[in-house]
Amino acid sequence: MTGLGANGREAGGDDGGREGRRGTGLRTVGFLLAGVLVLGVAGAGWVYRHLDDNIKSVDINSALGDNRPPRGTTTPSPSASPLHTGSLNILVLGSDSRSGEANQELGGGSSTGARSDTAMVVHLDAGRTRATVVSIPRDTLVTRPSCPLPSGGSTQVTYNSMFNSAYAVGGPVCAVRTVESITNIRMDHYVEIDFSGFAKLVDALGGVTVTTDEDIDDEDSHLTLEAGTHHLDGTQALALARTRHGIGDGSDLGRIGLQQTLVKALLDRISATSVLTDPARLYRVADAVTGSLTTDTGLDSLTELTSLARSLTGLSSDAVRTVTMPVTPAPSDRNRVVVREQEAAELWAALR
């Protein structure tokens, strides 16, 4: 499988050359671990109100109730700051919704029937100086639990369902419930980003630099790159995050590797730019992030996002570990994968 530069990944297993639909372009938790860091200084007047109003939210806690894994322990910072520095688990999703003109131009396809084609569990260690990002392959066959529906009632428990179907049938609430059932870890927060938001963020940062170890030529993502180092604009970075058929064996695991590399590249870009001292760029970044963001109600304001951002100021890309949930080809379908239970249990236990 191809690699990107020095930012390797730990894969959960070979997917046996699975086929699949084009992936979504929202392949990064960099919005959470990097982009949100810029929000802390955009806090006055109409700018604040505009950015605050940008954010959409879903009340996941009320929908799921108390039948969930226990909360982790969050302790106040020993300094005078009111920041909380306990461990935190955040589910970051990229749906393949093409709603809106900008998303349709970048992703094409129908504006209905969105799926969570990218899912990352972000674990922030106590102290917020280290993070682990665990990618969950979208084609993983899982038991999808019963989920409450916004219209009332609930979905049925289903077996051997593709992981990304949870979002399709029950939205963010069902995605969170399914991840919690797989991991037995409570998701403290939820973040979702869309096609155009990712491209706008990269452009607002002035692009992102990656190194490819082999040529890429993917007709589905419309990306052609020779092996080497490239500085990509937002549309190109989005295409890279969606690429799977133009690398390695064409598997979704190869695409995940590209996504994980982009996470670290975005973090490095934030560190290398003058975003915090350039008001115009700061606003563009903050507008790109908030304008394409859906969160749980615990993160749906600039005040809450800023508090999280301030707790992450000691986090560098070198302290971010990227892994993939251990999987193996499904016996019933080589184009799907199933969880390697023992190894996955050890991984999730280490994050509790």
Side-chain angles (χ1 to χ4, degrees):
M1 192 199 78
T2 188
L4 282 190
N7 295 326
R9 69 180 181 88
E10 297 179 29
D14 180 16
D15 71 348
R18 301 191 317 279
E19 300 171 353
R21 298 168 301 279
R22 290 183 307 181
T24 179
L26 319 173
R27 318 307 192 188
T28 182
V29 68
F31 298 97
L32 179 66
L33 298 183
V36 77
L37 297 179
V38 306
L39 298 177
V41 298
W46 74 269
V47 172
Y48 183 97
R49 290 192 297 272
H50 169 71
L51 297 177
D52 199 61
D53 290 345
N54 273 347
I55 305 167
K56 301 178 288 293
S57 66
V58 178
D59 192 351
I60 290 174
N61 286 338
S62 294
L64 293 183
D66 296 328
N67 186 23
R68 303 175 65 187
R71 293 182 183 274
T73 301
T74 302
T75 57
S77 168
S79 68
S81 169
L83 298 180
H84 292 281
T85 56
S87 62
L88 207 61
N89 295 294
I90 305 171
L91 176 61
V92 178
L93 291 188
S95 76
D96 69 352
S97 171
R98 274 76 167 188
S99 61
E101 183 178 349
N103 282 326
Q104 290 183 22
E105 288 179 356
L106 289 168
S110 171
S111 62
T112 61
R115 297 159 300 201
S116 58
D117 274 5
T118 295
M120 295 178 176
V121 174
V122 181
H123 174 79
L124 302 172
D125 286 359
R128 310 290 170 83
T129 58
R130 293 182 300 163
T132 301
V133 179
V134 184
S135 296
I136 301 178
R138 66 178 188 175
D139 294 340
T140 307
L141 298 180
V142 300
T143 297
R144 193 180 70 222
S146 175
C147 301
L149 295 172
S151 59
S154 58
T155 66
Q156 297 293 319
V157 177
T158 61
Y159 303 93
N160 291 319
S161 293
M162 281 177 53
F163 168 78
N164 68 347
S165 69
Y167 184 95
V169 302
V173 170
C174 196
V176 170
R177 170 149 284 177
T178 301
V179 170
E180 290 185 343
S181 72
I182 293 171
T183 64
N184 197 28
I185 297 174
R186 188 184 183 106
M187 296 297 107
D188 299 294
H189 291 298
Y190 169 84
V191 174
E192 180 184 331
I193 193 76
D194 68 20
F195 273 175
S196 63
F198 177 81
K200 288 178 181 177
L201 174 63
V202 173
D203 283 337
L205 289 171
V208 65
T209 300
V210 298
T211 300
T212 62
D213 294 336
E214 63 180 79
D215 295 344
I216 294 176
D217 187 9
D218 191 334
E219 293 182 358
D220 287 342
S221 68
H222 308 293
L223 181 68
T224 301
L225 290 177
E226 294 182 353
T229 299
H230 304 274
H231 190 74
L232 309 179
D233 64 18
T235 301
Q236 292 170 317
L238 180 63
L240 180 66
R242 296 174 58 216
T243 292
R244 61 182 292 176
H245 298 298
I247 58 170
D249 60 5
S251 75
D252 192 42
L253 294 179
R255 184 171 57 91
I256 285 174
L258 302 184
Q259 296 165 10
Q260 291 174 342
T261 296
L262 280 170
V263 170
K264 292 193 173 185
L266 281 171
L267 285 166
D268 289 336
R269 185 62 179 167
I270 286 283
S271 299
T273 60
S274 58
V275 65
L276 293 178
T277 57
D278 182 341
R281 175 173 284 182
L282 173 64
Y283 176 77
R284 290 195 299 271
V285 171
D287 195 39
V289 173
T290 59
S292 52
L293 203 64
T294 301
T295 72
D296 67 286
T297 50
L299 283 180
D300 63 353
S301 73
L302 277 186
T303 299
E304 290 154 343
L305 285 172
T306 298
S307 178
L308 174 62
R310 290 172 60 201
S311 75
L312 299 179
T313 55
L315 186 67
S316 69
S317 64
D318 290 339
V320 178
R321 175 183 177 230
T322 57
V323 300
T324 301
M325 182 178 71
V327 293
T328 192
S332 59
D333 185 347
R334 300 290 293 185
N335 296 320
R336 303 288 179 261
V337 295
V338 293
V339 180
R340 298 209 305 255
E341 296 291 351
Q342 182 175 346
E343 294 174 44
E346 292 172 356
L347 170 63
W348 300 127
L351 301 185
R352 292 192 187 106

